[in-house]
Amino acid sequence: MKFGRFESAGLKPLGSGDQKNVFVDPGNEKRVVSEIKKEAEKDTPRQLKGRYYLTKIAHLLLPENIPDIYQAGESHEGGQNVYAERISHAEGHALIQKARQEGGDEAAALKISVKELGRGAWDLDLELERIGLGFNVDDKNIANYTKNEKGSVYYLETFKPWRVDDFDKNELKVLFEEEDMRDAIDGLSDQETKEKCLKYLERILELMTEEEKELRERREASLQECGPYVEELEGILAPLLTAESLTLLHSIETEEEAMASLERTFARKARVPILKKLQFLEEKTTNVTDEQCADLRQKYKILDRAIGTVNGGKVDHTR
């Protein structure tokens, strides 16, 4: 199936959200085109392909609840579009989209939509959880659901396969449960459909492996030799950690003494850039050892404790 280049200029959206606008495909009124907004966070090319395959699997597992997806692609200019099956909108869903486009109050439309969907959205969420897509679902946005004229409830969003981990920017967080998905696929009665799903799943895993490899290679290429940064930190810390300096800082016991001490003011101001440099050393340099980082962290803690925390008019040096 071939798709021409999509141009949204002059077209009225069928629906709108924070991340995208949805249009009827000018080439086929049975399809919709989701155009990712310029200001929205874009998928990487591999994520976009993975989104296509993951949504394909979801549709094959729940054909009466997930619209089919036909293509997910990126233009030379960096725009991203997703072509999918067009689902007729229930009254409440249509009213929500109208309110959003006209800047009106969505409250009344939301009430109508909730009543129309009944338990349908909740039951669909349970099914999505069963097939491994539970935490991929934005169930707080009722506009992601609609009910067609046959009474089937649909979830209209596509499914992102992974994202960068919140805590470790060098790792990826998978947004589906592979084991649950394999169990759901194994439960399919049609062998051809089962084989398609498994092929799509393997492709997602391949894309994710490639993405992880590129992420690590990019990080390694950006790392800098640690030597100069270790020396710089040692040089900043050394005069602050002399026996004389530490004794003086520990001798400060009251808030009044702390406010009057130039030595403590200097050490306190130095504390923030020292911590930032230590974090840079740990995250942005290569061949730095755990022992070096632990030693510098310990020296920072010694300084931090000597500076102390003012609490109730007293300086606490125990934390």
Side-chain angles (χ1 to χ4, degrees):
M1 184 181 296
K2 293 185 179 181
F3 296 82
R5 179 179 173 181
F6 176 69
E7 296 286 355
S8 63
L11 298 178
K12 182 179 180 181
L14 186 66
S16 298
D18 293 336
Q19 300 293 314
K20 65 184 180 181
N21 289 316
V22 181
F23 303 87
V24 177
D25 182 0
N28 188 337
E29 64 177 14
K30 293 183 179 181
R31 297 191 303 240
V32 292
V33 186
S34 297
E35 183 181 60
I36 309 303
K37 294 181 177 180
K38 291 182 180 179
E39 65 273 17
E41 181 183 352
K42 300 291 194 300
D43 285 344
T44 67
R46 291 190 187 93
Q47 276 177 316
L48 193 58
K49 290 178 183 177
R51 187 185 290 273
Y52 167 82
Y53 290 123
L54 192 57
T55 306
K56 268 291 187 186
I57 294 172
H59 169 70
L60 290 172
L61 290 172
L62 301 173
E64 296 301 318
N65 306 107
I66 305 298
D68 198 2
I69 184 171
Y70 306 119
Q71 179 177 294
E74 189 170 58
S75 70
H76 292 298
E77 295 78 18
Q80 295 185 341
N81 299 315
V82 175
Y83 290 77
E85 178 184 5
R86 182 181 179 183
I87 303 299
S88 58
H89 287 179
E91 179 189 0
H93 187 94
L95 288 173
I96 291 171
Q97 294 303 331
K98 182 180 179 182
R100 287 184 176 181
Q101 291 175 34
E102 296 178 355
D105 184 8
E106 296 179 24
L110 288 170
K111 287 182 180 179
I112 293 173
S113 189
V114 168
K115 185 176 180 180
E116 285 173 343
L117 293 168
R119 280 188 51 88
W122 170 258
D123 291 338
L124 179 50
D125 286 348
L126 293 177
E127 278 295 277
L128 289 168
E129 186 172 348
R130 178 184 68 81
I131 68 172
L133 290 169
F135 54 85
N136 205 308
V137 176
D138 182 8
D139 56 3
K140 297 179 180 63
N141 187 355
I142 199 69
N144 289 335
Y145 303 83
T146 193
K147 181 183 284 189
N148 69 3
E149 65 279 357
K150 295 180 181 179
S152 297
V153 174
Y154 279 82
Y155 183 73
L156 300 174
E157 287 294 301
T158 54
F159 298 93
K160 191 168 187 167
W162 67 79
R163 59 178 171 79
V164 175
D165 189 81
D166 292 331
F167 300 102
D168 187 348
K169 301 301 182 183
N170 302 307
E171 298 295 332
L172 299 180
K173 181 177 179 60
V174 185
L175 299 179
F176 63 94
E177 291 287 352
E178 182 183 346
E179 187 175 345
D180 290 343
M181 185 161 287
R182 287 189 183 277
D183 286 344
I185 293 170
D186 191 53
L188 290 170
S189 57
D190 184 74
Q191 187 61 29
E192 184 179 352
T193 304
K194 185 184 296 187
E195 289 175 0
K196 279 184 181 180
C197 287
L198 289 173
K199 182 178 72 172
Y200 294 150
L201 180 55
E202 291 307 317
R203 185 64 183 124
I204 292 169
L205 298 175
E206 288 171 1
L207 288 165
M208 189 165 62
T209 299
E210 293 170 5
E211 189 101 313
E212 286 177 328
K213 182 173 181 288
E214 183 178 314
L215 191 66
R216 292 196 181 103
E217 288 175 349
R218 218 168 37 234
R219 177 182 181 272
E220 289 169 5
S222 69
L223 293 178
Q224 303 176 49
E225 205 282 326
C226 74
Y229 298 97
V230 172
E231 292 175 9
E232 181 186 13
L233 262 173
E234 292 280 14
I236 296 171
L237 285 163
L240 297 169
L241 296 176
T242 64
E244 182 182 2
S245 177
L246 291 175
T247 300
L248 189 153
L249 290 171
H250 274 285
S251 71
I252 299 172
E253 297 181 349
T254 68
E255 183 175 3
E256 184 178 355
E257 291 172 343
M259 296 290 290
S261 172
L262 294 177
E263 292 82 357
R264 185 180 186 277
T265 299
F266 177 78
R268 189 167 56 83
K269 288 183 177 180
R271 187 169 50 181
V272 172
I274 288 171
L275 184 58
K276 286 184 177 179
K277 288 178 184 295
L278 182 54
Q279 290 172 334
F280 179 88
L281 181 70
E282 292 173 334
E283 297 173 4
K284 302 292 185 181
T285 63
T286 184
N287 76 330
V288 63
T289 66
D290 292 341
E291 290 77 12
Q292 285 174 308
C293 287
D295 179 61
L296 289 165
R297 280 276 177 188
Q298 181 59 29
K299 289 177 178 178
Y300 171 80
K301 287 180 181 178
I302 291 170
L303 175 63
D304 189 50
R305 193 174 297 117
I307 295 169
T309 304
V310 177
N311 186 14
K314 301 290 185 181
V315 179
D316 183 359
H317 295 284
T318 63
R319 296 184 181 181

